[in-house]
Amino acid sequence: MKLSDLATGSDWTVWIVFVIFAVLSIILLSGHGSWFISGYNTASKEEKEKYNEKKLCRTMGIGMSIIAILLLTKGLFENILPAFFVYIASGIILVDVVVIIILGNTLCRK
């Protein structure tokens, strides 16, 4: 069974979500866009001073890039990929989110 056999909606939704993740990844990888990071954008000035903003943005950008690449893979190779790719991609995204949280709270502190 192929991944395209499971698809019930239109393909354009995958592409829209991919574009959103790709644009956000580029903004964050450039070291800007800290206002997109939940928790950091509402933190007090004293709390923000505990973090390296550029490192935090880049860490979040790399994590979002991984998700964008998975969406791109799904969109491009939907007719080729087996159906269990959904489980593989979900596992990768779960691990990615956990790593982002850990790195954001350890590596990105000053």
Side-chain angles (χ1 to χ4, degrees):
M1 180 182 283
K2 301 287 182 212
L3 186 59
S4 60
D5 297 335
L6 297 177
T8 57
S10 56
D11 291 340
W12 61 270
T13 54
V14 173
W15 293 109
I16 289 174
V17 174
F18 163 71
V19 168
I20 291 170
F21 271 86
V23 168
L24 289 175
S25 296
I26 292 168
I27 292 170
L28 288 167
L29 284 171
S30 69
H32 301 89
S34 62
W35 63 89
F36 289 123
I37 302 171
S38 179
Y40 185 77
N41 61 355
T42 59
S44 66
K45 188 167 179 71
E46 296 82 27
E47 188 68 27
K48 285 183 179 181
E49 289 175 358
K50 295 178 183 176
Y51 291 92
N52 183 336
E53 185 175 328
K54 290 255 187 212
K55 260 188 191 177
L56 185 61
C57 285
R58 289 191 180 132
T59 301
M60 297 297 169
I62 291 169
M64 291 190 74
S65 296
I66 292 170
I67 297 171
I69 289 168
L70 285 171
L71 288 170
L72 178 65
T73 304
K74 182 200 175 295
L76 290 176
F77 303 112
E78 184 177 19
N79 295 324
I80 300 170
L81 290 171
F84 67 87
F85 179 75
V86 172
Y87 301 114
I88 295 169
S90 298
I92 292 171
I93 290 172
L94 180 66
V95 170
D96 182 43
V97 169
V98 170
V99 169
I100 289 171
I101 292 170
I102 291 170
L103 291 178
N105 288 314
T106 56
L107 181 71
C108 299
R109 285 194 181 255
K110 288 185 178 178

